[in-house]
């Protein structure tokens, strides 16, 4: 009983949003003066305060009320002013007339500007804090870290692995990624813990703000992908194990710390995501070979994969009311199904054959201008085709789903909050993207001599 009480106190300590705010201040992120005290003041006046999940109303002089954060970047030397509204200047706001003055009457050496966090098109959420960034290096470093768990990274990383490095490793990485992300997203909707309260936390990102917080799926993918990459490639490729361990530590640390820095997760969320990912790897890694061999060789694998992933998507949509995590889950499942089906067709037609076991371990080739140029060309052409596939399928599937289920499509945002639209749109669109990644684009490379 005493042990449980200690664990409960430790969990409460690690979940405390003040710890997140303290880490942000340590890294040079600050809200406006009195930001931490604004919530109790608002509650005392009976005013709506900022929310832990969802968009938050302006607090303490939110400016013109456009909902976007104002960002101050520390700069030494002579004070410079923004060049105008085109560069994010705020007339009559911070950085212009009425800007904060130091006690000696001199203006602080700061550049005031506006930054627009990446919003989710379905929620329209925007940050409303006045933000001071005093360490630009950490700001951009942790933004890079958080991008390692976003769609832009996935649509570059997985194709690069499959088209330029090793399709065998790439297929198995995607299997691991699908299971880790699916279990993580479903667990969020079961536990239903909100994001860290703001204030005291400063929200530097609002794209995933409508999702629940526990566990951090960024931390899960940031742990599972590099760790699985090393587990799958070491022994198959010749390289020092120390290089792989350094990659895992740097990648995982950058992603995990970035989620706290961005104000999107508590320390407990990140630790839970890290441990959860390791648990999933321990359980599922021995089965990865079996799953991949089934996808390749079993005659009816495509039908079973499509049905199973679709059923998992329907199940995930029943766990909670609407949030962006439901669409992301369908997107992940669709991509996994498409890649598995593309792998099956590749195997049946004898395309992209894996190296024979007697050639292992593989030796990394010397990097030449020709090799580098072909790799970049494959990536550019392939990613453009994947993006075009996504655009075309989105244009087709959303109106088609609305028509099939007699749902008005005048307001796409409202329509996509219904399972009848969002699930088929995400599943079919990203299923086609995954199929193109694994089959159609490699066929094109073979045809034009880029394979």
């Amino acid at each position: 009983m005493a042990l449980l009480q200690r664990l409960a106190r430790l969990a409460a300590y690690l979940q405390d949003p003040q710890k997140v705010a303290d880490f942000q201040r340590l890294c040079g992120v600050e809200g406006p003066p009195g930001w931490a005290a604004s919530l109790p003041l608002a509650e005392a006046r009976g005013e709506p305060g900022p929310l832990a999940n969802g968009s938050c109303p302006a607090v303490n002089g939110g400016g013109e009320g456009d909902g976007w954060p104002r960002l101050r970047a520390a700069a030494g030397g002579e004070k410079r002013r923004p060049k105008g509204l085109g560069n994010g200047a705020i007339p009559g706001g911070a950085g212009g007339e009425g800007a904060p003055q130091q006690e000696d009457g001199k203006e602080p050496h700061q550049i005031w500007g506006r930054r627009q966090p990446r919003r989710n098109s379905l929620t329209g959420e925007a940050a409303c804090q006045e933000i001071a960034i005093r360490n630009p290096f950490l700001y951009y470093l942790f933004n890079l870290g958080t991008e390692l768990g976003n769609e832009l990274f996935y649509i570059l990383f997985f194709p690069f692995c499959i088209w330029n490095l090793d399709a065998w490793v790439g297929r198995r990485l995607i299997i691991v990624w699908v299971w880790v992300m699916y279990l993580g997203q479903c667990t969020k909707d079961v536990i239903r813990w909100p994001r860290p309260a703001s204030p005291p936390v400063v929200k530097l990102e609002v794209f995933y703000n409508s999702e629940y917080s526990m566990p951090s799926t960024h931390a899960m993918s940031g742990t599972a992908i590099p760790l699985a990459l090393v587990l799958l490639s070491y022994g198959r490729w010749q390289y020092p194990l120390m290089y792989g361990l350094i990659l895992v530590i740097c990648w995982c640390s950058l992603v995990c710390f970035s989620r706290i820095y961005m104000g999107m997760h508590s320390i407990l969320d990140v630790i839970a995501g890290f441990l959860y990912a390791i648990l999933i790897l321990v359980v599922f890694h021995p089965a990865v070979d079996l799953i991949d061999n089934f996808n390749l060789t079993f005659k009816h694998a495509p039908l079973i994969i499509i049905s199973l992933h679709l059923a998992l998507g329907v199940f995930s949509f029943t766990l909670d009311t609407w949030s962006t995590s439901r669409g992301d889950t369908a997107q992940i499942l669709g991509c996994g199904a498409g890649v598995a089906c593309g792998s099956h067709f590749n195997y049946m037609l004898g395309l992209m054959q894996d190296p024979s076991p007697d050639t292992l371990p593989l030796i990394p080739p010397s990097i030449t201008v020709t090799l580098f140029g072909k790799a970049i060309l494959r990536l550019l052409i392939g990613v453009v085709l994947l993006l075009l596939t996504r655009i075309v399928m989105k244009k087709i599937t959303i109106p088609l789903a609305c028509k099939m289920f007699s749902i008005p499509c005048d307001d796409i945002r409202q329509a996509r909050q219904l399972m009848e639209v969002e699930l088929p749109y995400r599943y079919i669109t990203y299923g086609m993207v995954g199929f193109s990644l694994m089959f159609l684009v490699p066929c094109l490379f073979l045809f034009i001599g880029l394979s």
Side-chain angles (χ1 to χ4, degrees):
M1 190 66 178
L3 178 60
L4 291 178
Q5 289 176 346
R6 287 176 188 163
L7 290 176
R9 284 197 297 267
L10 177 61
Y13 176 83
L14 295 175
Q15 197 184 7
D16 185 4
Q18 188 59 51
K19 302 298 181 293
V20 178
D22 291 343
F23 178 78
Q24 289 182 311
R25 280 198 298 273
L26 182 65
C27 295
V29 178
E30 296 180 8
W35 172 246
S38 59
L39 181 57
L41 286 175
E43 290 176 345
R45 296 171 184 160
E47 299 172 356
L51 305 175
N53 255 24
S55 56
C56 65
V59 178
N60 277 357
E64 285 82 38
D66 55 7
W68 295 112
R70 295 176 185 170
L71 180 144
R72 295 181 291 174
E78 183 180 356
K79 179 179 177 293
R80 295 175 295 165
R81 292 183 181 274
K83 294 182 179 179
L85 286 175
N87 282 342
I90 303 170
E97 294 181 7
Q101 304 286 323
Q102 292 179 337
E103 291 183 1
D104 58 3
K106 296 180 181 178
E107 293 186 6
H109 295 292
Q110 293 172 333
I111 301 172
W112 288 69
R114 268 197 295 193
R115 291 292 175 89
Q116 293 186 353
R118 194 164 60 100
R119 292 193 299 173
N120 192 300
S121 60
L122 287 182
T123 63
E125 292 174 288
C128 61
Q129 298 103 329
E130 187 179 73
I131 303 170
I133 302 296
R134 305 192 183 281
N135 193 323
F137 172 75
L138 290 180
Y139 175 78
Y140 289 110
L141 177 67
F142 285 129
N143 268 275
L144 172 64
T146 208
E147 282 299 326
L148 293 179
N150 290 340
E151 182 182 354
L152 175 62
F153 168 74
Y154 296 139
I155 209 168
L156 293 173
F157 175 73
F158 289 133
F160 185 84
C161 286
I162 291 171
W163 299 335
N164 294 321
L165 297 180
D166 191 343
W168 185 93
V169 172
R171 293 195 310 265
R172 284 160 169 77
L173 265 181
I174 290 176
I175 291 171
V176 171
W177 171 71
V178 169
W179 280 106
V180 165
M181 293 299 292
Y182 176 76
L183 291 174
Q185 295 283 25
C186 288
T187 303
K188 278 185 176 183
D189 288 338
V190 170
I191 297 177
R192 302 181 185 180
W193 283 8
R195 298 281 184 184
S198 176
V201 173
V202 179
K203 292 291 180 72
L204 295 177
E205 177 186 291
V206 293
F207 189 78
Y208 298 105
N209 208 36
S210 65
E211 296 182 13
Y212 293 111
S213 186
M214 168 64 81
S216 167
T217 46
H218 271 76
M220 291 180 69
S221 68
T223 301
I225 290 178
L227 194 54
L229 180 61
V230 173
L231 290 172
L232 293 168
S233 63
Y234 186 72
R236 180 177 174 84
W237 287 86
Q238 284 187 2
Y239 65 87
L241 179 59
M242 184 57 65
Y243 290 177
L245 295 178
I246 292 173
L247 174 68
V248 170
I249 293 170
C250 292
W251 189 329
C252 180
S253 300
L254 182 58
V255 175
C256 289
F257 281 113
S258 74
R259 301 313 288 162
I260 302 173
Y261 177 89
M262 303 298 285
M264 298 304 292
H265 285 286
S266 68
I267 299 173
L268 184 61
D269 297 337
V270 171
I271 293 175
F274 170 78
L275 295 177
Y276 195 17
I278 291 178
L279 176 63
I280 294 171
L281 274 179
V282 169
V283 173
F284 283 99
H285 183 259
V288 168
D289 283 341
L290 293 175
I291 295 171
D292 188 53
N293 290 332
F294 171 83
N295 293 344
L296 295 179
T297 60
F298 190 68
K299 181 179 179 180
H300 302 294
L303 180 61
I304 294 173
I305 293 162
I306 291 172
S307 302
L308 175 62
H309 283 219
L310 184 59
L312 291 173
V314 172
F315 170 75
S316 70
F317 270 64
T318 64
L319 290 177
D320 191 38
T321 56
W322 183 88
S323 75
T324 54
S325 66
R326 302 202 316 179
D328 291 342
T329 304
Q331 177 175 315
I332 292 162
L333 291 170
C335 184
V339 167
C341 293
S343 302
H344 180 82
F345 281 96
N346 273 338
Y347 180 81
M348 292 301 175
L349 296 176
L351 304 175
M352 293 182 69
Q353 295 183 352
D354 298 325
S356 60
D358 58 341
T359 63
L360 303 179
L362 303 173
I363 301 173
S366 301
I367 299 178
T368 63
V369 174
T370 302
L371 182 68
F372 181 77
K374 279 190 171 183
I376 295 301
L377 192 58
R378 277 193 291 266
L379 186 64
L380 289 176
I381 294 175
V383 168
V384 167
L385 291 175
L386 295 183
L387 293 175
L388 289 175
T389 300
R390 187 182 69 168
I391 293 171
V392 171
M393 294 305 298
K394 181 178 179 179
K395 295 290 185 183
I396 294 173
T397 53
I398 293 179
L400 182 61
C402 290
K403 186 174 182 179
M404 287 181 60
F405 295 100
S406 302
I407 296 171
C409 58
D410 300 333
D411 189 341
I412 297 297
R413 180 184 294 179
Q414 284 294 116
R416 284 184 54 188
Q417 292 187 15
L418 300 174
M419 182 182 74
E420 294 84 354
V421 176
E422 185 74 346
L423 179 58
Y425 150 58
R426 296 270 193 155
Y427 189 80
I428 296 172
T429 297
Y430 285 90
M432 196 62 198
V433 169
F435 186 75
S436 300
L437 160 66
M438 206 67 222
F439 181 71
L440 296 181
V441 173
C443 286
L444 175 64
F445 290 159
L446 185 65
F447 179 75
I448 64 179
L450 265 181
S451 59

